[in-house]
Amino acid sequence: MSDPKIVLITGAGSGIGRATALQFLAHGHTVALAGRQTKLLEETANLAGHGTARILLCDVTKEKSVIDTFDAINKEFGRLDVLFNNAGTALLYKLIDEITLEEWKPVVDTNLTGAFLCAREAFKLMRNQSPRGGRIINNGSISAQVPRPGSTAYTATKHAITGLTKSISLDGRPFDIACGQIDIGNAATAITENMPKGVPQADGSVAPEPVIDPKLVAEAVYNMAMLPLEANVPFMTIMANKMPYIGRG
């Protein structure tokens, strides 16, 4: 095993966050499981056979909650090696003129502002710890590249994550902070549960789409995270091979 790392994963109570947490824990790393629901985080921790899991209640849309989470990391471990900025939500299958501000704001607050707050606090820790440096991995999505029908809010935030990733990557260079992004297509989670049954396509039809095991995504995140800090994967796309992404429109 490589040197044990201190890892923080947001949205660790389910889906990709849970799978990724279990991947790091299986390799003996210390993982802070961040999320809003204690029960789900405890379920993730109980599934781990190895490593050290710490449960940290955190609402990424609340600045104080995020600051408190990173303060707890610093107090207990004195450093942070990896942040997987994973927490997210979606508003799908609504045209832009059907979206209210009340529906728009939670998506932006979670997917973009939440990612910014977590990245900001991680950057601060990594910049000032000794030895300095670390890695931030943002969960982008295929929608960071191309939209689905009726996905204005989600797509806008995921495109913004790409800009956030690029800016952090550039600003982090003098401090040995690497930042990359994983764009995921059709991992089998709650957000994709309807895809095998059929979802709207760009041509107006409804068609089933294949999904992949979140464990495959977790392995990809882990491989990105284990690179030495002199190397970086700025962008990785992992997807179900037969999903209609290339040629989506």
Side-chain angles (χ1 to χ4, degrees):
M1 188 192 79
S2 58
D3 292 337
K5 297 186 182 298
I6 308 299
V7 182
L8 173 62
I9 298 175
T10 64
S14 62
I16 291 165
R18 173 176 287 180
T20 305
L22 295 177
Q23 177 77 13
F24 278 97
L25 289 165
H27 285 83
H29 301 284
T30 296
V31 181
L33 309 172
R36 294 182 297 177
Q37 298 186 50
T38 302
K39 181 180 178 181
L40 293 178
L41 297 174
E42 288 177 344
E43 288 175 0
T44 300
N46 290 336
L47 287 169
H50 303 85
T52 301
R54 291 287 184 270
I55 292 173
L56 293 174
L57 286 179
C58 178
D59 182 345
V60 300
T61 70
K62 309 296 184 186
E63 183 177 31
K64 185 179 186 303
S65 182
V66 173
I67 291 172
D68 289 347
T69 296
F70 282 83
D71 283 348
I73 292 285
N74 192 31
K75 183 176 181 180
E76 182 168 359
F77 304 111
R79 67 177 296 106
L80 177 65
D81 297 299
V82 179
L83 164 66
F84 182 33
N85 230 344
N86 169 70
T89 189
L91 175 68
L92 298 177
Y93 313 127
K94 276 201 168 187
L95 298 181
I96 188 169
D97 64 329
E98 301 169 340
I99 300 171
T100 68
L101 184 60
E102 289 71 26
E103 291 172 322
W104 168 270
K105 284 178 64 64
V107 182
V108 175
D109 289 347
T110 303
N111 295 0
L112 180 56
T113 304
F116 156 72
L117 289 171
C118 290
R120 183 188 71 181
E121 296 306 305
F123 195 103
K124 190 183 303 181
L125 258 180
M126 293 170 178
R127 178 180 178 180
N128 294 293
Q129 63 196 13
S130 182
R132 74 179 183 187
R135 190 177 302 274
I136 297 168
I137 300 173
N138 294 323
N139 185 338
S141 167
I142 294 293
S143 291
Q145 303 175 33
V146 290
R148 285 187 174 278
S151 65
T152 301
Y154 187 75
T155 297
T157 60
K158 292 304 185 178
H159 272 62
I161 289 296
T162 298
L164 183 69
T165 298
K166 291 178 179 179
S167 291
I168 295 169
S169 179
L170 181 60
D171 291 350
R173 289 176 183 174
F175 311 108
D176 301 316
I177 299 171
C179 184
Q181 178 171 315
I182 185 161
D183 291 334
I184 303 159
N186 290 14
T189 65
I191 200 173
T192 63
E193 62 183 357
N194 289 324
M195 287 187 175
K197 304 172 188 176
V199 291
Q201 303 296 310
D203 63 1
S205 66
V206 175
E209 293 190 16
V211 295
I212 56 172
D213 193 322
K215 291 180 181 178
L216 299 174
V217 179
E219 290 172 2
V221 174
Y222 185 81
N223 289 334
M224 292 172 71
M226 290 301 105
L227 287 171
L229 290 178
E230 59 264 29
N232 189 33
V233 177
F235 296 95
M236 176 189 288
T237 301
I238 182 168
M239 52 177 266
N241 187 43
K242 295 182 180 181
M243 72 170 288
Y245 157 60
I246 297 173
R248 181 183 278 187

